Amino acid sequence: MQTQTSPQNNTNLSLDPNLKAKPDTLTKIMFRKFMKNKLAVIGAVILGIIMFGALFAPWLTSHPYEQQNLLNKLQSPGGEHWLGTDRFGRDVFARMLYGARISLLVGFASVIGAISIGTVVGAVAGYFGGLIDSILMRLVDIILSIPSLFLLITLVTIFDPGIDKLIMIFALTGWTSTARLVRGEFLSLRSREFVLASKTIGTRSYKIIFAHILPNALGPIIVSATLAVGGVILAESALSYLGLGIQPPTPSWGNMLQDAQNFTIMLKHWWYPLFPGLAILLTVLSFNFIGDGLRDALDPRIND
């Protein structure tokens, strides 16, 4: 005798949410792990506000950043000038917004260049090993043996300071740590089964490197890039403060601090050095917090 299933039972089975629940995607898992890091979320919000201000600077301020008005110099924060004015009567808020454009542009562009160079060098060294690895790593050791600040000052002195020059210098001097990181990842991944299988079927080396191994090493590279942006912004601000970076009247947070380095101005007119210094601090901290959050999100050993 054939047993029939009750329609009511079928209805209950079809309405059971556990039977239709789809497994979470890797993106959702990483997002949840990132959101659990409160400092990373705060950093992302602060960085989002700074980037919004940089992108929409012309619409957020009615004062041109280069406009001088000596009658309003060193004016305290108020209704007309939200963050006050500098010693030339220029609006500090406007210069802060346009300075964010410079700092973020130099940071992102430099890190993209440095990460690209370091990834290629590290991938080639880690995949092929042997003599190629030894030569490339000795080159990395030589560059790392030179004090970074001394190297930056020397290169900036040789080339005229400018945004394009700074980006090039930071890119050409900041790839070494990424090269070592990528090399280590490739050394551990090149002996995996999927790599050996690709070699067995005759896949070309460049395709194995960039299509098979590199995607599996993107996690540490992304974290390294995020942390590096904050370091570049800090270095650019230091060079601009020393007068070797972005040159006035183009605003940057570093040369704004240089304008305010007079002790009397810093003591009596607190807003002049405070806001650019605070912008540097918050931006660098935000990138560091986001980097920590991404490290947790991309680490499979940390439970969701």
Side-chain angles (χ1 to χ4, degrees):
M1 182 176 179
Q2 186 176 2
T3 303
Q4 294 183 350
T5 305
S6 171
Q8 185 177 0
N9 292 335
N10 287 335
T11 303
N12 292 336
L13 289 174
S14 63
L15 294 177
D16 190 352
N18 294 325
L19 296 178
K20 288 190 173 183
K22 296 181 179 180
D24 289 336
T25 62
L26 182 60
T27 303
K28 289 183 179 180
I29 295 173
M30 290 191 301
F31 180 75
R32 277 204 306 268
K33 291 164 70 175
F34 181 85
M35 294 300 292
K36 286 184 177 180
N37 191 321
K38 302 304 180 184
L39 289 178
V41 175
I42 293 172
V45 172
I46 294 175
L47 184 60
I49 295 173
I50 294 173
M51 293 180 66
F52 178 84
L55 289 173
F56 297 97
W59 295 275
L60 294 176
T61 178
S62 58
H63 300 279
Y65 68 83
E66 76 279 5
Q67 183 179 23
Q68 299 184 16
N69 185 357
L70 296 179
L71 296 178
N72 290 330
K73 67 178 183 178
L74 297 175
Q75 190 178 65
S76 61
E80 183 179 359
H81 301 283
W82 294 352
L83 302 184
T85 60
D86 63 11
R87 62 193 180 100
F88 297 106
R90 298 173 298 194
D91 185 72
V92 173
F93 180 65
R95 294 183 66 78
M96 285 274 296
L97 294 181
Y98 283 94
R101 285 184 165 189
I102 301 298
S103 295
L104 292 176
L105 173 62
V106 172
F108 283 122
S110 301
V111 168
I112 290 173
I115 290 294
S116 300
I117 298 171
T119 299
V120 172
V121 173
V124 171
Y127 179 79
F128 291 104
L131 181 61
I132 295 177
D133 181 28
S134 298
I135 294 174
L136 292 177
M137 287 302 101
R138 295 301 76 75
L139 175 62
V140 170
D141 292 339
I142 292 173
I143 296 177
L144 288 175
S145 66
I146 305 173
S148 57
L149 184 59
F150 174 77
L151 180 60
L152 287 173
I153 292 175
T154 302
L155 292 175
V156 170
T157 305
I158 295 174
F159 301 101
D160 294 331
I163 297 176
D164 54 342
K165 304 293 193 309
L166 283 178
I167 292 174
M168 180 186 69
I169 290 171
F170 283 128
L172 293 177
T173 58
W175 57 270
T176 51
S177 58
T178 302
R180 282 189 163 183
L181 175 66
V182 174
R183 172 183 176 269
E185 291 293 321
F186 268 67
L187 287 174
S188 63
L189 290 171
R190 68 178 183 178
S191 59
R192 298 285 181 88
E193 290 79 4
F194 67 92
V195 177
L196 298 177
S198 298
K199 291 180 178 180
T200 302
I201 63 176
T203 306
R204 293 182 179 273
S205 296
Y206 74 89
K207 190 172 183 180
I208 296 176
I209 291 173
F210 295 105
H212 298 289
I213 303 181
L214 185 59
N216 291 278
L218 282 180
I221 295 174
I222 293 173
V223 174
S224 175
T226 306
L227 296 173
V229 175
V232 170
I233 291 175
L234 198 60
E236 180 274 320
S237 300
L239 289 175
S240 296
Y241 178 79
L242 295 173
L244 300 173
I246 305 300
Q247 300 299 305
T250 302
S252 101
W253 294 335
N255 63 30
M256 289 178 70
L257 286 175
Q258 183 194 38
D259 287 338
Q261 65 181 335
N262 183 283
F263 178 75
T264 304
I265 292 178
M266 295 180 67
L267 189 63
K268 294 182 178 179
H269 309 286
W270 53 269
W271 64 88
Y272 196 177
L274 173 65
F275 293 117
L278 191 61
I280 296 172
L281 174 65
L282 290 177
T283 304
V284 174
L285 277 179
S286 296
F287 277 109
N288 289 340
F289 289 155
I290 293 172
D292 290 338
L294 289 175
R295 182 186 292 116
D296 294 342
L298 296 170
D299 191 347
R301 294 170 296 181
I302 298 179
N303 295 326
D304 182 17

